[in-house]
Amino acid sequence: MSRALRLLVWQVHGGWMDAFVRGRHTYLLPVDSAGEGGVGGRDWPENVVDVPQADLAETPFDAVVLQRLEEFDLVERLTGRKPGVDVPVVFVEHNTPQEDVPRSRHPLADRDDLLIAHVTHFNALFWDTGSTRTRIIEHGVVDYGNFFTGELPRAAAVINEPVRRWRVTGSDLLGGFSAVAPVDVFGMQVDGLAQALGVGPDRVVAAGDIEAPRLFAEIGRRRVYVHPNRWTSLGLSLLESMTAGVPVVALDTTDARRAVVPGVGAISTDVTELHDAVRAFVDDPGRGMEAGSRAREWALERFGLTRFQSDWDDLLARWVG
């Protein structure tokens, strides 16, 4: 087995980081002068370490794992080490391309000093990265347990900033779903969604931003999870809801079909079919329990931490070691 590494990584995407830092390496999380960043009170292993940004220049590390383009300059400014020259760098591409699809040129294309790790096969297919080395490591999900009770005849969705992101996240479709069953929407800045949709606040409810695992317990009280995203990377909330034992109904876009396999829910580009699937799960919680059980079993097999951490260990051993 290759040696454990000291990895510098910023806290950006909470769900992805929740899985990433549960490996065997030491994960150094910068904290700025305002106290932003770092572990932030999360229940993470002891090998996840807060480091004040002012101390980074004197802090040893073996590689940087970056998730935003501005972090290249940030590393050099705070540590005095140039990513890709003085220290190995892996850039995690979380996003689908947003412009000139399908001819989207990645901003890090044709680079020989870094490696791009895509989180989905779809992203790797649609981004033109030229000669830059790439690797696909699909998501990993922490198993917080089976939470499905289906006690509430309602649907759940998790969307951050649903009004601002609107068609990208399929927020505009929630009005149609709410005509079938009330939809409780969890996430950041969900207030005003019902008004934007022109439906009553009792049909699309702003349920607030709740941290795991309480979020999954709340989703598990609903009878189905709705994933209307048109053009996002494979949403972790979809995989997390499946892991929590909840049946899912998803728009058949980007890489959702790799997650929503037969028997775990419904997937289609026909919104009417999705409405019918939501109605069936809301009307029959026993059906939802069966599908949710299969969803949980599949999610743990395909997106469990063992596979995810093994993939990352292999990448780091080859690229850094």
Side-chain angles (χ1 to χ4, degrees), residues 243-265:
T243 304
V246 181
V248 296
V249 169
L251 210 63
D252 190 0
T253 55
T254 61
D255 248 3
R257 184 161 289 275
R258 290 181 63 82
V260 185
V261 297
V264 307

Side-chain angles (χ1 to χ4, degrees), residues 3-314:
R3 68 188 177 96
L5 302 171
R6 293 172 58 85
L7 304 174
L8 178 63
V9 55
W10 268 263
Q11 159 66 321
V12 178
H13 294 279
W16 181 85
M17 186 73 84
D18 196 18
F20 183 68
V21 300
R22 295 178 187 272
R24 61 191 185 88
H25 306 286
T26 298
Y27 305 89
L28 307 174
L29 272 58
V31 180
D32 65 22
S33 57
E36 297 293 326
V39 175
R42 297 173 178 85
D43 184 19
W44 281 348
E46 292 183 356
N47 53 326
V48 187
V49 181
D50 282 353
V51 181
Q53 285 190 166
D55 296 344
L56 285 177
E58 271 68 58
T59 301
F61 53 91
D62 300 300
V64 290
V65 177
L66 306 183
Q67 303 170 72
R68 299 168 297 180
L69 294 175
E70 57 266 30
E71 290 174 2
F72 284 88
D73 290 338
L74 200 57
V75 170
E76 187 169 6
R77 176 168 60 84
L78 294 174
T79 73
R81 302 169 72 176
K82 186 176 180 62
V85 176
D86 302 314
V87 61
V89 57
V90 177
F91 183 83
V92 181
E93 181 51 80
H94 289 283
N95 300 314
T96 51
Q98 299 299 310
E99 298 178 358
D100 197 27
V101 179
R103 294 177 294 273
S104 304
R105 185 78 167 163
H106 198 281
L108 299 177
D110 293 330
R111 296 274 296 263
D112 61 4
D113 58 342
L114 57 88
L115 181 147
I116 296 175
H118 290 288
V119 299
T120 69
H121 289 268
F122 184 92
N123 288 1
L125 182 67
F126 272 71
W127 274 115
D128 175 10
T129 55
S131 61
T132 304
R133 298 174 182 86
T134 62
R135 177 80 178 266
I136 301 165
I137 299 184
E138 293 184 292
H139 287 304
V141 180
V142 178
D143 179 14
Y144 285 105
N146 188 344
F147 289 99
F148 183 76
T149 66
E151 64 199 77
L152 301 178
R154 309 171 69 87
V158 178
I159 305 175
N160 288 325
E161 301 181 75
V163 177
R164 181 184 69 82
R165 299 169 73 196
W166 203 239
R167 286 182 58 85
V168 171
T169 54
S171 305
D172 60 301
L173 302 176
L174 292 176
F177 283 106
S178 74
V180 179
V183 182
D184 298 322
V185 183
F186 299 88
M188 296 185 292
Q189 299 179 30
V190 295
D191 291 338
L193 179 56
Q195 183 179 9
L197 289 165
V199 302
D202 59 328
R203 303 307 297 178
V204 174
V205 178
D209 186 18
I210 302 175
E211 293 284 340
R214 191 163 70 89
L215 171 62
F216 310 130
E218 286 299 322
I219 292 174
R221 297 178 65 207
R222 281 78 181 166
R223 293 186 182 170
V224 62
Y225 175 81
V226 173
H227 194 70
N229 298 41
R230 277 192 182 88
W231 192 251
T232 65
S233 195
L234 182 57
L236 268 168
S237 59
L238 174 66
L239 307 180
E240 290 164 340
S241 296
M242 293 170 66
T243 304
V246 181
V248 296
V249 169
L251 210 63
D252 190 0
T253 55
T254 61
D255 248 3
R257 184 161 289 275
R258 290 181 63 82
V260 185
V261 297
V264 307
I267 183 167
S268 179
T269 53
D270 184 336
V271 179
T272 301
E273 290 182 2
L274 300 183
H275 291 173
D276 291 342
V278 168
R279 183 178 293 108
F281 283 125
V282 170
D283 290 346
D284 186 357
R287 177 177 182 169
M289 183 168 291
E290 292 178 7
S293 179
R294 288 191 291 268
R296 173 172 165 78
E297 182 179 0
W298 164 246
L300 290 175
E301 175 187 338
R302 187 69 190 83
F303 300 101
L305 286 186
T306 299
R307 190 275 307 160
F308 178 72
Q309 289 294 342
S310 176
D311 287 352
W312 269 103
D313 284 347
D314 182 68

